């Protein structure tokens, strides 16, 4: 009950701003987890892209990215509520949860793909109601069936914020991928005077775009977790609970 981030009702844009500041405040643990998780995922995706084409490269990248967000969600949750966080324990816990998370992510993706086969609106609805399924599995330690039942209840509590998050984070992710490709090519050709790879929109992908995709995953996981935290704070009064816990702790300190 002793959160290291002020729990209060925040507007959606304020939550995204908090995610940026949170990442900046914890660069070292995020960097360690990123090197351990995202670097191998990038190498695998790039090898697949070179050998089988960029369509398959992006398929692998997106698939790996869905699972690779787990350590960052777990890391963010521990950094919020714990003062001493071990990245090794975060990685071990994430690895232990991988089978469950793979199953839940596969189920989530199949449900969204099935809805998309009919119309765009059903796909948006399915994606929104299962937006926080990863947080439910990781933070509430729910099994597959329980997670699929619990996640829609959380999203329905603040359906507007859930829908906005579901739409906004992928759009920001795509923008970062395009920016990484354009800025990276400009830096290589103009600053380093070396031949830059072809544009993302010409070949379907590039190492620079792929690097941008994986580099943005920590923000995606952290921002979604903070939205989840904001919704539960709003619906369950976590801000009040933490304040009472703080008052109780101070009372115990002064008690003779």
């Amino acid at each position: 009950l002793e959160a290291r981030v002020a729990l209060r009702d925040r507007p959606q844009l304020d939550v995204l701003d908090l995610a940026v500041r949170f990442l900046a405040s914890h660069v070292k643990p995020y960097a360690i987890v990123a090197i351990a998780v995202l670097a191998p995922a990038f190498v695998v995706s790039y090898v697949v892209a070179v050998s089988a084409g960029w369509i398959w490269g992006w398929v692998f990248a997106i698939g790996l990215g869905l699972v690779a967000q787990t350590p960052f969600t777990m890391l963010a949750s521990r950094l919020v509520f714990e003062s001493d966080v071990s990245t090794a324990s975060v990685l071990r816990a994430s690895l232990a949860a991988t089978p469950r998370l793979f199953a839940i992510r596969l189920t989530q993706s199949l449900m969204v793909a099935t809805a998309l086969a009919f119309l765009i609106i059903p796909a948006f609805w399915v994606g929104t109601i299962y937006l926080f399924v990863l947080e439910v599995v990781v933070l509430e330690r729910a099994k597959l069936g329980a997670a699929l039942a619990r996640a829609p209840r959380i999203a329905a509590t603040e359906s507007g914020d859930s829908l906005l998050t579901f739409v906004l984070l992928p759009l920001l992710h795509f923008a970062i991928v395009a920016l990484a490709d354009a800025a990276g090519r400009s830096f290589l050709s103009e600053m380093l005077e070396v031949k830059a790879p072809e544009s993302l929109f010409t070949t379907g992908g590039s190492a620079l775009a792929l690097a941008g995709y994986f580099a943005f995953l920590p923000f995606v996981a952290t921002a979604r977790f903070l939205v989840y935290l904001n919704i539960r704070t709003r619906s369950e009064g976590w801000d009040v609970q933490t304040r009472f816990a703080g008052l109780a702790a101070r009372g115990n300190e002064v008690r003779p």
Side-chain angles (χ1 to χ4, degrees):
L1 293 177
E2 296 182 2
R4 302 178 68 208
V5 170
L7 298 181
R8 59 180 175 83
D9 187 1
R10 300 174 184 268
Q12 192 77 345
L13 293 180
D14 192 14
V15 175
L16 297 181
D17 175 67
L18 176 62
V20 174
R21 290 185 283 117
F22 189 83
L23 284 166
S25 300
H26 302 94
V27 171
K28 184 177 179 180
Y30 270 97
I32 293 172
V33 175
I35 292 171
V37 176
L38 299 183
F42 169 83
V43 172
V44 170
S45 302
Y46 186 69
V47 169
V48 171
V50 171
S51 57
W54 274 107
I55 293 179
W56 285 108
W58 285 116
V59 169
F60 267 77
I62 293 172
L64 291 173
L66 290 175
V67 179
Q69 294 177 40
T70 304
F72 298 103
T73 300
M74 193 169 293
L75 177 63
S77 68
R78 294 192 179 186
L79 288 171
V80 166
F81 294 106
E82 300 176 18
S83 58
D84 186 17
V85 178
S86 168
T87 54
S89 66
V90 169
L91 292 171
R92 285 195 300 269
S94 302
L95 185 62
T98 296
R100 283 186 299 135
L101 293 165
F102 178 80
I104 197 73
R105 281 302 204 183
L106 180 61
T107 303
Q108 180 189 22
S109 300
L110 289 175
M111 294 174 70
V112 173
T114 302
L116 187 61
F118 292 94
L119 287 171
I120 295 179
I121 294 178
F124 272 76
W125 178 75
V126 172
T128 300
I129 65 173
Y130 291 113
L131 177 66
F132 302 112
V133 70
L134 176 62
E135 285 70 22
V136 172
V137 173
V138 171
L139 307 177
E140 303 181 22
R141 300 178 181 177
K143 295 183 179 180
L144 178 61
L148 292 176
R150 169 71 171 155
R153 292 200 296 270
I154 296 175
T157 303
E158 295 291 339
S159 56
D161 284 359
S162 301
L163 176 60
L164 183 59
T165 303
F166 176 72
V167 173
L168 188 58
L169 286 182
L171 289 177
L172 286 174
H173 210 158
F174 177 78
I176 291 297
V177 168
L179 179 62
D181 179 72
R185 287 188 298 106
S186 177
F187 178 78
L188 289 175
S189 60
E190 297 179 12
M191 300 296 293
L192 300 183
E193 296 184 352
V194 298
K195 184 179 179 181
E198 293 189 50
S199 170
L200 160 70
F201 300 103
T202 301
T203 60
S206 70
L208 297 170
L210 193 63
Y213 170 79
F214 282 110
F216 197 63
L217 283 179
F219 175 83
V220 171
T222 302
R224 193 180 58 245
F225 162 71
L226 291 176
V227 173
Y228 162 88
L229 192 65
N230 193 52
I231 289 176
R232 293 201 61 182
T233 297
R234 190 178 298 168
S235 62
E236 300 175 22
W238 280 11
D239 51 344
V240 177
Q241 295 181 51
T242 54
R243 285 170 186 162
F244 274 117
L247 290 173
R250 285 195 292 270
N252 290 332
E253 289 175 0
V254 300
R255 186 176 300 169

